[in-house]
Amino acid sequence: MTKKLVLVRHGQSEWNLANKFTGWVDVNLSQKGEEEAKEAGRKIKEAGIMFDHAHTSVLTRAIKTCNFALEYSGQMFVPVEKSWRLNERHYGALQGLNKAETAEKYGDEQVHIWRRSYDTLPPELSDEEAKKQKELPMFKHLPADVVPRAENLKVTLERVLPYYFDHIAPQLLDGETVLVAAHGNSLRALAKHLEKISDDDIMGLEIPTGQPLVYELDDELNVVKKYYL
Ligand SMILES: O=C(O)[C@@H](CO)OP(=O)(O)O
């Protein structure tokens, strides 16, 4: 039996709009982002997709996108699980900086490497910033060892996959239809695994905001079909 997994990258955030590196900073959706998330819900409804479970990160922009997608597809009853493991990739000391200004300072090439290379880490948070981050209510229950100071896609993949294997895959294997509302890079990590994309080729994969991406999977969770609604 074909299994269905739908990924939705959160709608445009206030920092996507301001062109700032965001990562684990908990910014809100922009007006346009809310509209994108509602539209994702309408598209899901139109496609007749009904979910058994939904998963999102602990960051507001993804949670709101998940809620809007469920509300506008008429299925707010669906149980939602939240995990830090679905958070955006941590952008380290780049968080809060403007992407264009950073490219002027360090060069386009360096910024492209920080943004899209599989295994180059961006500069880390300072001790003081790391301490402040750890005190935030959404992270204070996490062991210090798992709160990053910076992540590349490789590290992101390594913390997303255990969640996929333990929480999402078992539901798919039970024949359930699952929604994951998360972030550009946590979803790129998941897509890399599902589509068996190489470390080099993953640099070229972009997932647009607010557009539901459907994977149809076989009994061993291999992708048989992939399409955007
Ligand atoms: O700033 C971020 O956290 C991400 C996603 O918006 O940016 P990038 O496109 O560089 O991965």
Side-chain angles (χ1 to χ4, degrees):
M1 202 184 80
T2 313
K3 291 119 184 15
K4 214 171 257 178
L5 172 64
V6 180
L7 309 184
V8 182
R9 178 180 174 195
H10 64 78
Q12 183 194 61
S13 73
E14 285 171 349
W15 279 18
N16 290 145
L17 181 62
N19 200 25
K20 286 181 178 182
F21 292 99
T22 314
W24 280 37
V25 180
D26 194 24
V27 298
N28 209 338
L29 290 178
S30 67
Q31 193 73 39
K32 181 178 169 203
E34 286 200 6
E35 279 314 313
E36 287 175 329
K38 292 175 186 173
E39 187 56 20
R42 291 186 201 105
K43 284 181 177 164
I44 289 164
K45 185 174 183 180
E46 230 170 82
I49 299 175
M50 295 300 289
F51 298 112
D52 298 293
H53 280 98
H55 301 264
T56 189
S57 72
V58 296
L59 297 170
T60 303
R61 57 196 188 274
I63 297 168
K64 281 189 155 183
T65 298
C66 187
N67 290 347
F68 279 129
L70 292 176
E71 182 179 350
Y72 282 76
S73 61
Q75 37 188 336
M76 289 207 80
F77 54 86
V78 170
V80 179
E81 207 176 324
K82 295 172 193 157
S83 172
W84 67 273
R85 287 187 181 274
L86 294 174
N87 281 4
E88 181 53 295
R89 150 293 247 286
H90 196 298
Y91 248 130
L94 297 180
Q95 291 184 167
L97 301 181
N98 179 281
K99 291 177 184 173
E101 286 167 17
T102 309
E104 268 167 37
K105 190 163 171 195
Y106 296 96
D108 288 335
E109 168 101 22
Q110 178 60 69
V111 167
H112 183 64
I113 291 169
W114 281 330
R115 292 185 69 186
R116 289 294 170 266
S117 122
Y118 181 57
D119 50 14
T120 305
L121 281 170
E124 292 195 336
L125 285 187
S126 64
D127 289 349
E128 197 190 324
E129 285 165 331
K131 191 167 170 280
K132 264 197 246 155
Q133 169 181 261
K134 186 67 193 71
E135 283 161 3
L136 292 172
M138 76 194 76
F139 305 133
K140 74 171 187 218
H141 306 293
L142 291 178
D145 304 355
V146 301
V147 182
R149 285 185 171 214
E151 292 179 310
N152 50 34
L153 193 65
K154 182 172 185 284
V155 179
T156 308
L157 180 102
E158 285 164 2
R159 52 98 164 150
V160 168
L161 277 192
Y163 188 83
Y164 172 73
F165 291 134
D166 289 349
H167 296 257
I168 300 171
Q171 294 173 347
L172 293 167
L173 290 168
D174 279 348
E176 298 188 341
T177 298
V178 180
L179 170 68
V180 179
H183 304 262
N185 295 291
S186 52
L187 294 178
R188 286 173 71 235
L190 203 49
K192 182 180 190 302
H193 171 76
L194 292 168
E195 298 183 48
K196 303 181 176 62
I197 301 172
S198 72
D199 297 358
D200 284 340
D201 289 348
I202 193 61
M203 285 186 84
L205 179 79
E206 296 288 340
I207 297 179
T209 52
Q211 287 185 35
L213 169 57
V214 182
Y215 285 101
E216 292 184 3
L217 307 163
D218 69 14
D219 286 344
E220 280 166 9
L221 304 185
N222 297 305
V223 177
V224 288
K225 211 167 161 193
K226 168 194 174 182
Y227 51 92
Y228 281 99
L229 294 181

